[in-house]
């Protein structure tokens, strides 16, 4: 069974390190904008700038880092990103204690942390591929997926309680410490891991063309290209409706904040269930069938949120829709992550995963802004309906035919 299958001591340290930082991140969920509002008295425009600029500039920083990381061992890079995030986040409580905290500092912290997040994730995918046998990749990705959903379920409520007791700066300290512990866990893997030396460690200086290698590989791969666009649309439309649902539930429908939190925290158990089922479903029905089925089913739920009403019935409807959606995502996400890693040549993993993550973040930001404008014209419920109808078209972008696994290529030459 997936839950008891051992992937080795090195993977255990990697999993523990990533789990620690993931829980820290979700514990401090929305801590930075809360500090901006509660401590610096920032307005809606400033908070929006904080979120958008941190994401956009952080993504721009991560793009040129990807080819550089590709030519280096990934574990030291991951440790460095953890230490950078630790030091950067810790500057907030230090400045707060000294009475020197400013909005500019929060903005710089958001940018650095966003860039480090993207770089860590891309390097982590490459390191996982080197550390785990190909037949164990789905098990490993399933465990990461279950950890993410568990942290999503538990972190924000615990963080909210901590903020209520100790203030928003306390959760930032906890998040910073989680990155320090993550760096320690990665260091504990030691030199016994299977990560090989990069084949092109003596490569010439970075060229402009290398920045596009990740996108070039995705867009020229017949299956990944479809999955890429599908993921951008699905994730973007789901995230774009989140603020609209907040406005709808906490405004006209009269739900209390704790009810809204419960409606989205409790269904995260579906992600845990789905991620634990993924390997067994693939073993029984095949990777392509599960990707197609779970990918199609995850597009069928969003429209249901447009029919939410007041009272207990409305709360149950939101929880049921979210449970179905998250369960399907819990199955689909680790299968997609595993397929993606098996298709990307070793010498392009970091650049390709970075390109995928950067584009996803930018697409989410753009669609969220667009749907905010749309809701201003049509109202939040109508905007959710439009998103729900559009997402129903996304299964057309899923690969219809099972393609053979791509063999590992020789190290590619950048143009």
């Amino acid at each position: 069974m997936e839950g008891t299958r051992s992937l080795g001591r090195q993977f255990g340290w990697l999993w523990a390190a990533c789990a620690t930082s993931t829980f820290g991140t979700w514990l401090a969920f929305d801590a930075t904008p809360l500090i901006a509002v509660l401590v610096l008295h920032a307005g809606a425009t400033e908070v929006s700038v904080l979120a958008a600029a941190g994401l956009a500039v952080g993504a721009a920083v991560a793009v040129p880092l990807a080819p550089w990381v590709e030519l280096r061992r990934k574990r030291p890079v991951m440790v460095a990103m953890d230490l950078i995030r630790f030091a950067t986040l810790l500057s907030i409580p230090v400045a707060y204690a000294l009475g020197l905290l400013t909005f500019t500092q929060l903005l710089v912290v958001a940018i650095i942390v966003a860039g480090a997040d993207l770089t860590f994730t891309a390097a982590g995918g490459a390191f996982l591929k080197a550390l785990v046998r190909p037949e164990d990749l789905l098990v490993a990705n399933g465990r990461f997926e279950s950890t993410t959903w568990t942290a999503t379920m538990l972190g924000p409520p615990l963080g909210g309680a901590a903020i209520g007791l100790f203030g928003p700066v306390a959760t930032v300290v906890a998040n910073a410490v989680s990155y320090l512990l993550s760096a320690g866990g990665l260091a504990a893997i030691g030199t016994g891991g299977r990560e090989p030396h990069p084949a092109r460690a003596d490569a010439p200086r970075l060229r402009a063309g290398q920045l596009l290698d990740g996108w070039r590989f995705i867009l020229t791969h017949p299956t990944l290209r479809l999955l890429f666009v599908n993921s951008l649309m699905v994730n973007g439309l789901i995230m774009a409706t989140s603020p609209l649902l907040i406005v709808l539930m906490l405004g006209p429908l009269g739900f209390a904040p704790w009810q809204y939190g419960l409606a989205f925290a409790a269904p995260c158990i579906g992600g845990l269930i789905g991620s634990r089922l993924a390997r067994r479903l693939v073993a029984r029905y095949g990777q392509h069938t599960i990707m197609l089925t779970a990918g199609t089913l995850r597009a069928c739920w969003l429209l249901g949120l447009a029919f939410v009403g007041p009272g207990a019935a409305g709360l149950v409807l939101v929880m049921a829709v979210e449970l179905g959606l998250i369960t399907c995502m819990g199955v689909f996400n680790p299968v997609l992550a595993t397929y993606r890693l098996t298709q990307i040549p070793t010498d392009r993993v970091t650049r390709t995963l970075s390109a995928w993550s950067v584009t996803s973040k930018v697409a989410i930001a753009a669609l969220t802004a667009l749907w905010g404008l749309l809701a201003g014209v049509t109202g939040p419920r109508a905007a959710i309906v439009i998103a729900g109808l559009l997402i129903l078209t996304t299964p057309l972008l899923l690969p219809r035919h099972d393609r053979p696994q791509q063999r590992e290529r020789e190290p590619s030459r950048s143009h």
Side-chain angles (χ1 to χ4, degrees):
M1 292 178 61
E2 178 193 315
T4 59
R5 184 171 177 176
S6 175
L7 301 184
R9 184 185 67 85
Q10 284 84 16
F11 174 78
W13 279 114
L14 174 64
W15 188 19
C18 292
T20 301
S21 60
T22 299
F23 271 95
T25 298
W26 283 101
L27 187 71
F29 184 67
D30 279 347
T32 303
L34 280 173
I35 292 173
V37 172
L38 299 178
V39 177
L40 302 178
H41 309 292
T45 300
E46 291 172 301
V47 173
S48 298
V49 168
L50 183 64
L55 182 62
V57 181
V61 169
V63 170
L65 281 178
W68 179 84
V69 173
E70 199 81 78
L71 304 180
R72 283 153 181 84
R73 285 197 169 214
K74 308 306 180 291
R75 186 172 64 90
V77 171
M78 296 167 69
V79 172
M81 293 302 109
D82 272 338
L83 294 178
I84 287 172
R85 290 184 287 187
F86 163 71
T88 304
L89 285 171
L90 199 62
S91 72
I92 293 177
V94 170
Y96 174 76
L98 296 175
L100 301 175
L101 186 64
T102 64
F103 180 80
T104 300
Q105 180 181 350
L106 291 183
L107 188 59
V108 172
V109 167
I111 290 169
I112 294 174
V113 170
D117 285 344
L118 289 166
T119 303
F120 181 94
T121 300
F127 183 58
L128 178 65
K129 184 172 182 177
L131 190 68
V132 175
R133 295 175 300 178
E135 60 269 25
D136 289 331
L137 276 175
L138 181 54
V139 177
N141 283 314
R143 291 179 185 177
F144 285 127
E145 184 73 12
S146 65
T147 299
T148 297
W149 288 113
T150 302
T152 306
M153 178 171 56
L154 301 178
L158 292 175
I163 288 172
L165 291 172
F166 307 110
V169 175
T171 59
V172 175
V173 174
N175 192 19
V177 171
S178 77
Y179 289 123
L180 183 63
L181 294 175
S182 174
L186 291 169
I189 294 175
T191 58
R194 302 172 190 166
E195 184 181 10
H197 286 285
R200 299 172 63 242
D202 58 345
R205 186 173 298 179
L206 175 66
R207 297 176 182 175
Q210 290 178 282
L211 302 179
L212 302 178
D213 276 351
W215 285 281
R216 187 180 295 117
F217 179 78
I218 293 170
L219 297 177
T220 55
H221 190 290
T223 305
L224 284 182
R225 180 173 61 240
L226 292 174
L227 291 170
F228 179 59
V229 179
N230 174 273
S231 294
L232 293 181
M233 288 188 63
V234 170
N235 295 334
L237 289 170
I238 289 173
M239 295 304 296
T241 59
S242 180
L244 309 185
L245 200 58
I246 293 175
V247 171
L248 189 61
M249 291 183 68
L250 301 185
L253 298 181
F255 287 100
W258 71 265
Q259 291 174 308
Y260 173 80
L262 177 65
F264 288 91
C268 289
I269 190 68
L272 182 60
I273 294 170
S275 61
R276 293 180 66 85
L277 286 175
R279 177 175 170 267
R280 279 174 273 182
L281 291 173
V282 168
R284 182 168 183 177
Y285 299 105
Q287 183 184 62
H288 174 261
T289 299
I290 296 304
M291 251 199 318
L292 180 60
T293 303
T296 299
L297 290 175
R298 86 195 202 284
C300 298
W301 298 93
L302 189 61
L303 188 60
L305 295 177
F307 301 99
V308 61
L315 189 63
V316 170
L317 174 61
V318 173
M319 293 176 70
V321 169
E322 290 294 323
L323 178 63
L325 172 63
I326 292 173
T327 301
C328 294
M329 292 178 69
V331 174
F332 180 84
N333 289 347
V335 179
L336 170 62
T338 301
Y339 176 80
R340 189 173 56 191
L341 281 178
T342 61
Q343 294 297 298
I344 304 172
T346 299
D347 67 316
R348 289 195 181 198
V349 173
T350 303
R351 282 171 287 178
T352 305
L353 294 184
S354 179
W356 194 296
S357 297
V358 166
T359 311
S360 179
K361 300 276 188 189
V362 172
I364 288 172
L367 286 174
T368 299
L370 179 60
W371 250 254
L373 295 174
L374 181 63
V377 176
T378 66
R381 196 182 294 272
I384 293 172
V385 169
I386 294 171
L389 292 174
L390 283 176
I391 205 172
L392 290 175
T393 66
T394 59
L396 297 175
L397 294 168
L398 293 169
R400 295 290 151 184
H401 304 290
D402 192 7
R403 296 178 183 271
Q405 294 292 309
Q406 181 168 309
R407 294 182 178 180
E408 186 71 24
R409 298 177 182 175
E410 294 298 320
S412 61
R413 298 184 181 275
S414 298
H415 301 289

